[in-house]
Amino acid sequence: MRHAWMVVLLAGVSLCGSCASGPADGLPDAGLSDGSQDAGSQDGGPLDGAGDSQPEPSWKVCADWPTGEARDIAAAGSRLFTANMYGLQVYDRSDPASPALLGRYPTPGEAWRVAVDGDRAALADGRHGIAILDVSDPSAIEIIASLPLDGEARGVTLSGDLLVACSSRAAPRLFDLSEPASPVALGELPGYTAEAAFWGQRVLTFGPLRSPDDPPEVCTLDTRQVLRVMDVSDPSAPVELGSIQFGSVGHDPACEGHAVVMPQDGWGLVVHGQYLYLVETESRVRILDLSVPSEPQEIGRVSMPVSWVRGLVIEAGRLLASTEDGVLEFDIGDPLDPVLTETIQIPAGRFIQSLDVMGGRVAALSAGKLHELHLLDAADLNLLGVVNIGHPYIGQVAQDASHAYVAAHPGLTVVDLDDPAGPRIEAMREDLGEMRTIALAGSLALLAGQDRILTVDLSTPARPALMGTLELGSLDARSAAVQGELGLVVSGSTAISLRVIDLADPARPALAGQIDLPGKASEPRVALSEGIAYAACGTEGLAVIDVQTPSAPERVGSYVPWTAEGVYEVAVSGDLAFAAAGPFVHVLDVSEPSQPSLVADVDTPGYATRIAAEGERAVVGDTYDLVQISLVR
């Protein structure tokens, strides 16, 4: 029997201690779709009642959520704009030791470059092209227009009504933004480039000399790059004024007869007067003299005090450089001898790696510079406690009433949760090798990694005991699920496979069956409920597999969302499945597993990639925040 549901987006919360309630200031509007779009499922329309009036989403968002290292930066007065894998962030840098987050704009791609002119910003957002944004109010950034490109958007520069967009597959393109909502393409600049910068009525472009469509001969090492100076005073007819090349062509000594090595993309350039600062390596910047535009000359190099230099910008006569350790500010009174004067401490970033919900408690495993386990109250998402896991690689988390268990490299970490405000690491098994995923059934844990599946006895959490091992060669495990004597492991990325594991004798786990699934996903995930498996297959959406006969798993249903992003993870609770699918969470009725039916689409403020559910409530890992979704009949 199918039910009618109402979907309520209750709260969004960052993994920090001090939160503000109210509408989602600084985030795109969150909303609900009643499923009336063509959902691409066998039953694409809403259930009866799904389209009824629904309450406005309410939010609880922390302003100090760490948003990560800056891949690129732009500056306007005291405002600092940073681009990274989460999107765009805007800070007040008046206090360099503690910049205040003014607003942010999560993007569907991975932001590589940002350019700002007045109240307008342009963001190079990978395969999602260029986003033109209104940043007049940093707390409520709005998108004005999007520019799709051939290949991934990797570079962008902006001056007045002119914009140059650089992609990974094509020549840089020049656009007119006189009508910001309707950009007009003016033409292309010569060459293939990943970086560009305006210099008055000129544009400087930098990138590999050789086009990606014209690869070098086998076994050549081609590191040639070229800087071009273009006159764009007539945007419809750009003229090349001069250029300078770097790098060389030679034989690759490591070549085994098939290797082709292309030069790396540039990482940042900016002009100050007649001087150009150009990132050469992760820790070195070239200085060029442009006083004769037809003959750019390299006149010096500067070694940076840190590594991972990416973006450069000039603001108020100072050179700012985005690095792994924050934004560095240099005095360039002597342009050939920049002097470090300040470090702006951008908070260390993290993203939500794995979620689990049990007994009203959320366990959120975050990854970044710090790998931490956060405990939250599922009712209101208030933070209870946090512990640093410490491993260089972490996989997924599962919890029972008193402990959380983290699959890691190496092995397994056990966290005591008796005092949620002060969780502590109780045990570590570092002799288990690389473990990526974990699932629990009572005191039995099923772990899986690159080449094997393990069963571990957790009846004494302080001393987890290895019970059995199943060697499977190139397993490449990504997710696991357990129910009774049945275990599941999903593996692969370009080719997804579901393996059914017989756990009747935990000391001798055995491969019972296997089925290949469609789609491509970097982290395919699986959920198990009453003998039915639900696999998130990325580009091909959700696959439903009957595993009640372990030796012959059978695909019995599917759901392909109308969004182009695919499904990243699925959580099942009773007759409901929650599919995290980028811009949306798709809520499905799976009371008839062979015919998943759309209940509602929940438009979350960020980008939904992780999800866990308990009862009629789901918690979503949504780029910056944890977002809570609740359903009522």
Side-chain angles (χ1 to χ4, degrees), residues 196 209 227 355 501 612:
L209 179 64
L227 174 77
L355 288 171
I501 311 301

Side-chain angles (χ1 to χ4, degrees), residues 263-274:
Q264 61 191 15
D265 291 343
W267 283 329
L269 69 162
V270 67
V271 182
H272 177 57
Q274 70 186 56

Side-chain angles (χ1 to χ4, degrees), residues 339-353:
V339 177
L340 179 63
T341 58
E342 195 72 71
T343 299
I344 303 171
Q345 298 291 346
I346 301 298
R350 63 170 70 100
F351 60 93
I352 297 168
Q353 174 86 1

Side-chain angles (χ1 to χ4, degrees), residues 499-585:
R499 290 173 170 84
V500 184
I501 311 301
D502 182 352
L503 300 175
D505 181 358
R508 294 178 177 82
L511 179 63
Q514 181 173 337
I515 183 172
D516 294 332
L517 300 174
K520 294 181 180 180
S522 59
E523 293 284 342
R525 299 295 178 101
V526 66
L528 177 60
S529 177
E530 298 184 0
I532 303 295
Y534 301 83
C537 295
T539 56
E540 292 298 319
L542 182 69
V544 183
I545 306 101
D546 187 336
V547 293
Q548 295 177 83
T549 303
S551 61
E554 179 185 5
R555 187 179 176 195
V556 295
S558 64
Y559 176 80
V560 180
W562 58 269
T563 57
E565 299 299 324
V567 175
Y568 291 90
E569 186 167 21
V570 60
V572 178
S573 180
D575 290 341
L576 293 173
F578 300 83
F584 291 90
V585 171

Side-chain angles (χ1 to χ4, degrees), residues 26-28 86-88 104-108 605-607 622-624:
L27 297 174
Y86 304 107
L88 176 70
R104 59 200 183 187
Y105 188 86
T107 60
Y607 201 70
D622 191 50
T623 309
Y624 298 111

Side-chain angles (χ1 to χ4, degrees), residues 329-510:
E329 182 177 300
F330 294 87
D331 183 336
I332 48 176
D334 179 353
L336 302 184
D337 186 24
V339 177
L340 179 63
T341 58
E342 195 72 71
T343 299
I344 303 171
Q345 298 291 346
I346 301 298
R350 63 170 70 100
F351 60 93
I352 297 168
Q353 174 86 1
S354 177
L355 288 171
D356 191 35
V357 183
M358 179 183 180
R361 183 181 62 214
V362 178
L365 190 62
S366 68
K369 278 192 172 181
L370 296 177
H371 295 167
E372 296 176 326
L373 179 66
H374 304 257
L375 303 177
L376 305 100
D377 186 331
D380 52 19
L381 293 185
N382 279 335
L383 183 66
L384 303 175
V386 61
V387 62
N388 184 4
I389 298 302
H391 287 296
Y393 173 88
I394 56 172
Q396 294 165 23
V397 63
Q399 61 176 331
D400 58 24
S402 59
H403 290 81
Y405 306 89
V406 178
H409 185 192
L412 172 68
T413 296
V414 181
V415 181
D416 187 329
L417 306 182
D418 282 343
D419 177 10
R424 62 180 183 84
I425 294 178
E426 182 172 349
M428 300 176 73
R429 282 290 306 261
E430 296 186 341
D431 58 334
L432 302 179
E434 177 187 351
M435 292 292 111
R436 297 177 176 176
T437 181
I438 183 170
L440 304 181
S443 61
L444 176 69
L446 178 70
L447 290 101
Q450 176 63 31
D451 55 11
R452 55 185 166 165
I453 293 172
L454 307 179
T455 51
V456 176
D457 182 358
L458 300 175
S459 55
T460 304
R463 293 186 296 277
L466 178 63
M467 300 177 69
T469 301
L470 175 61
E471 301 284 352
L472 287 175
S474 56
L475 173 62
D476 193 22
R478 303 290 176 164
S479 178
V482 179
Q483 196 168 69
E485 297 179 350
L486 189 67
L488 301 177
V489 175
V490 67
S491 61
S493 53
T494 56
I496 302 173
S497 180
L498 177 71
R499 290 173 170 84
V500 184
I501 311 301
D502 182 352
L503 300 175
D505 181 358
R508 294 178 177 82

Side-chain angles (χ1 to χ4, degrees), residues 133-315:
L133 305 172
D134 180 347
V135 293
S136 55
D137 180 357
S139 67
I141 298 171
E142 296 183 353
I143 189 163
I144 302 172
S146 296
L147 300 175
L149 300 178
D150 180 14
E152 293 193 5
R154 288 299 181 90
V156 67
T157 186
L158 184 62
S159 179
D161 290 330
L162 289 179
L163 177 145
V164 176
C166 305
S167 85
S168 61
R169 297 293 307 171
R173 300 181 65 189
L174 192 63
F175 291 88
D176 181 354
L177 301 183
S178 299
E179 296 292 335
S182 303
V184 176
L186 299 175
E188 294 184 346
L189 301 177
Y192 158 69
T193 180
E195 301 288 344
F198 274 99
W199 178 33
Q201 292 187 323
R202 305 179 183 95
V203 172
L204 304 173
T205 64
F206 180 70
L209 179 64
R210 189 181 293 270
S211 162
D213 296 322
D214 181 26
E217 297 179 3
V218 170
C219 289
T220 59
L221 178 64
D222 189 344
T223 62
R224 293 175 299 171
Q225 295 177 292
V226 59
L227 174 77
R228 292 184 171 92
V229 184
M230 307 295 304
D231 183 342
V232 293
S233 54
D234 180 358
S236 63
V239 176
E240 183 171 332
L241 301 176
S243 65
I244 182 173
Q245 291 186 22
F246 308 97
S248 61
V249 180
H251 178 76
D252 178 11
C255 177
E256 297 178 355
H258 58 272
V260 173
V261 181
M262 293 291 286
Q264 61 191 15
D265 291 343
W267 283 329
L269 69 162
V270 67
V271 182
H272 177 57
Q274 70 186 56
Y275 299 104
L276 170 69
Y277 297 90
L278 172 66
V279 177
E280 176 189 12
T281 68
E282 289 189 346
S283 59
R284 191 163 57 188
V285 174
R286 298 179 189 266
I287 304 176
L288 285 81
D289 185 346
L290 303 177
S291 56
V292 181
S294 60
E295 297 181 0
Q297 299 290 325
E298 182 175 345
I299 57 175
R301 297 182 182 184
V302 178
S303 293
M304 289 290 178
V306 297
S307 63
W308 209 83
V309 178
R310 287 295 185 266
L312 300 173
V313 68
I314 299 290
E315 174 62 23

